[in-house]
Amino acid sequence: MDKLVIQGGVPLNGEISISGAKNAALPILCAGLLTAEKLNLGNVPQLHDITTMRKLLEHLGVRIEQQGDNQLSLDASGIHTWEAPYDMVKTMRASILVLGPLLARFGHARVSLPGGCAIGSRPVDLHIKGLQEMGAEIHIEHGYIEAKVDKLQGARIFMDMVTVTGTENLMMAAALAEGTTILENAAKEPEVVDLAECLIKMGASIEGAGTDVITITGVAKLHAADHDVVCDRIEAGTYMVAAAMTGGEVRLNNVRADLLDVVIDKLRESGATVEHDSHSIMVRSQGVLQQPGTLKSVSIRTAPHPAFPTDMQAQFMALNTVADAVATVTETIFENRFMHVQEMQRLGANIEVEGNTAIVRGSEFLEGATVMATDLRASASLVLAALVARGETVIERIYHLDRGYEQLEAKLGQLGARVQRIK
């Protein structure tokens, strides 16, 4: 199993390009199931989760051609099964996103209950409830969601809690339903908007994406389209925090600053200088490696978009471990998302957890140690801590990182970090 070995203590300088967003690419790949015509996608990141989704779609009968490093062409004209088996679904919760498209286009779906990171309960009952309100007959038997319908019907669906994948699944299903579907308390994340933009290019009628009410008027069929996946705001935010922590000057290209408003605000609060234009972001900082005491602690509280993203919580906790003062980090989305705390403590971090809040007291320095990644964003936080720690840090179980960060060690290496992957 691969490990990362990081020699800390090097300020970051240079520029890198940000990849396409995993959390946008996964539902957009599933949108290819909605049409018998080709869907051509660009800016698709090369990640383990993308490979897993490709295997699942190919199992269903989708022909996928790699037309460049980050370009894919999908042809779902030859679907020959409606079943997503456990062996292909167990490692990734996003696999549930085939449910809506299969049901909408074919009237049948058999999808295993999904797996994924152990960061907390992410139930699929809201997906099921919404599809039932659209007329589907659904049962859960032997660990599988069994769904069938003659034709999905438009409905007014209020989601009890904000759910990104639930919004995406129901939006895709509603695109081919008869009549109008209104999704209330819908997720507003940029990745939901990107999916909607792709569906509109395919001929769907969707209004309100990016707000908490999305209206979808069903059409008879969708057609071929070309779409480039939106940039990965979480990858960008991670490198921005790295620059603020270590110090130096880092430019990120192929990124939209308007997707990172709250992250930019918090980084400026920490003492970093952040400048941007329409396609790039520059972060400058003295950091803890160049001028100890200049990095300021920032308290955060996660909440659905446009508030502070849960996927950036662990990275800012890493920043606070070496910042000047005390900060609180409150997690309101997932109940098990402090699993990185114990590993950070092995590096010398001063963190106390009380319920869903972590109290982080900045340390003068961290010390390298062997740590273990527990989930995707926790892995990233350990990398950030290792970049400023004294000596060598070994991060084990980095397959989590490969699920969400394209060429992480290569990009950090471009910025001057001493990072090596050991197989």
Side-chain angles (χ1 to χ4, degrees):
M1 200 172 291
D2 290 7
K3 304 176 182 180
L4 278 188
V5 178
I6 300 175
Q7 305 290 339
V10 181
L12 301 183
N13 287 279
E15 61 181 275
I16 56 174
S17 290
I18 296 303
S19 301
K22 170 183 81 87
N23 289 339
L26 292 172
I28 288 171
L29 285 168
C30 294
L33 292 167
L34 290 166
T35 178
E37 300 181 28
K38 283 193 174 182
L39 176 60
N40 300 311
L41 301 177
N43 204 33
V44 180
Q46 296 186 45
L47 300 168
H48 183 72
D49 275 10
I50 299 298
T51 301
T52 300
M53 183 62 80
R54 284 185 60 172
K55 289 178 180 177
L56 174 57
L57 294 176
E58 288 170 337
H59 166 81
L60 296 172
V62 180
R63 290 194 296 273
I64 302 178
E65 295 180 11
Q66 186 90 34
Q67 300 188 327
D69 286 347
N70 300 100
Q71 295 178 306
L72 297 177
S73 179
L74 282 70
D75 179 353
S77 60
I79 298 296
H80 54 70
T81 180
W82 306 306
E83 179 173 321
Y86 173 71
D87 284 347
M88 306 192 77
V89 171
K90 63 183 179 182
T91 61
M92 187 177 68
R93 291 177 186 265
S95 306
I96 191 68
L97 288 166
V98 303
L99 176 62
L102 286 174
L103 194 57
R105 184 170 163 213
F106 301 105
H108 298 273
R110 186 173 190 264
V111 179
S112 171
L113 291 169
C117 281
I119 58 175
S121 175
R122 289 187 280 186
V124 298
D125 56 335
L126 295 179
H127 304 235
I128 294 171
K129 177 185 174 186
L131 292 170
Q132 287 174 327
E133 291 183 30
M134 297 172 71
E137 181 182 332
I138 300 179
H139 304 283
I140 297 179
E141 298 178 353
H142 307 296
Y144 279 80
I145 302 168
E146 308 262 7
K148 63 180 181 179
V149 68
D150 289 333
K151 183 70 175 177
L152 290 174
Q153 304 295 314
R156 191 178 197 97
I157 301 170
F158 178 83
M159 286 175 279
D160 296 336
M161 61 181 289
V162 177
T163 162
V164 173
T165 53
T167 298
E168 292 165 341
N169 227 341
L170 296 176
M171 186 164 63
M172 287 190 284
L176 291 180
E178 287 185 350
T180 298
T181 298
I182 299 175
L183 302 180
E184 297 185 352
N185 198 29
K188 297 180 280 190
E189 272 70 5
E191 295 77 19
V192 173
V193 176
D194 200 41
L195 172 62
E197 291 176 353
C198 179
L199 291 171
I200 290 168
K201 291 176 184 177
M202 296 168 69
S205 175
I206 301 173
E207 296 179 353
T211 75
D212 58 3
V213 179
I214 301 177
T215 303
I216 308 104
T217 302
V219 297
K221 68 175 186 175
L222 298 181
H223 53 66
D226 298 337
H227 182 76
D228 287 339
V229 175
V230 71
C231 62
D232 193 326
R233 62 194 171 103
I234 305 302
E235 182 196 23
T238 301
Y239 288 113
M240 290 165 69
V241 173
M245 290 175 65
T246 66
E249 185 174 292
V250 172
R251 178 183 294 277
L252 307 179
N253 298 317
N254 187 37
V255 66
R256 285 172 45 189
D258 62 304
L259 306 182
L260 287 153
D261 287 342
V262 66
V263 171
I264 290 172
D265 287 346
K266 287 295 181 181
L267 283 175
R268 286 173 173 161
E269 186 181 330
S270 78
T273 298
V274 184
E275 299 171 353
H276 57 81
D277 56 29
S278 58
H279 298 291
S280 70
I281 298 175
M282 174 75 81
V283 181
R284 297 184 184 91
S285 171
Q286 292 298 317
V288 298
L289 299 179
Q290 299 188 86
Q291 194 169 341
T294 58
L295 190 65
K296 305 301 180 185
S297 297
V298 289
S299 293
I300 61 169
R301 180 183 181 86
T302 66
H305 190 79
F308 192 92
T310 181
D311 279 353
M312 284 300 302
Q313 174 258 105
Q315 295 90 316
F316 269 83
M317 187 180 292
L319 181 150
N320 284 326
T321 63
V322 289
D324 184 31
V326 180
T328 58
V329 176
T330 303
E331 174 61 55
T332 72
I333 308 297
F334 296 122
E335 67 271 21
N336 292 339
R337 207 157 202 182
F338 283 156
M339 291 189 293
H340 48 282
V341 168
Q342 185 174 355
E343 299 304 304
M344 281 192 179
Q345 288 169 338
R346 289 180 52 76
L347 299 173
N350 186 343
I351 307 172
E352 297 178 21
V353 176
E354 297 180 0
N356 68 333
T357 297
I359 302 163
V360 188
R361 293 175 172 84
S363 303
E364 185 177 340
F365 59 86
L366 301 177
E367 293 185 338
T370 298
V371 292
M372 182 178 66
T374 54
D375 64 70
L376 172 53
R377 305 308 170 186
S379 306
S381 72
L382 296 176
V383 171
L384 297 183
L387 291 174
V388 298
R390 293 180 175 180
E392 180 178 278
T393 299
V394 179
I395 303 175
E396 298 182 340
R397 288 175 55 176
I398 60 167
Y399 60 84
H400 289 292
L401 275 172
D402 295 334
R403 292 184 51 232
Y405 289 92
E406 185 176 38
Q407 298 180 338
L408 178 129
E409 63 266 30
K411 290 183 180 182
L412 284 174
Q414 284 179 243
L415 300 176
R418 295 176 294 187
V419 181
Q420 181 182 9
R421 179 182 292 253
I422 296 179
K423 293 185 178 297

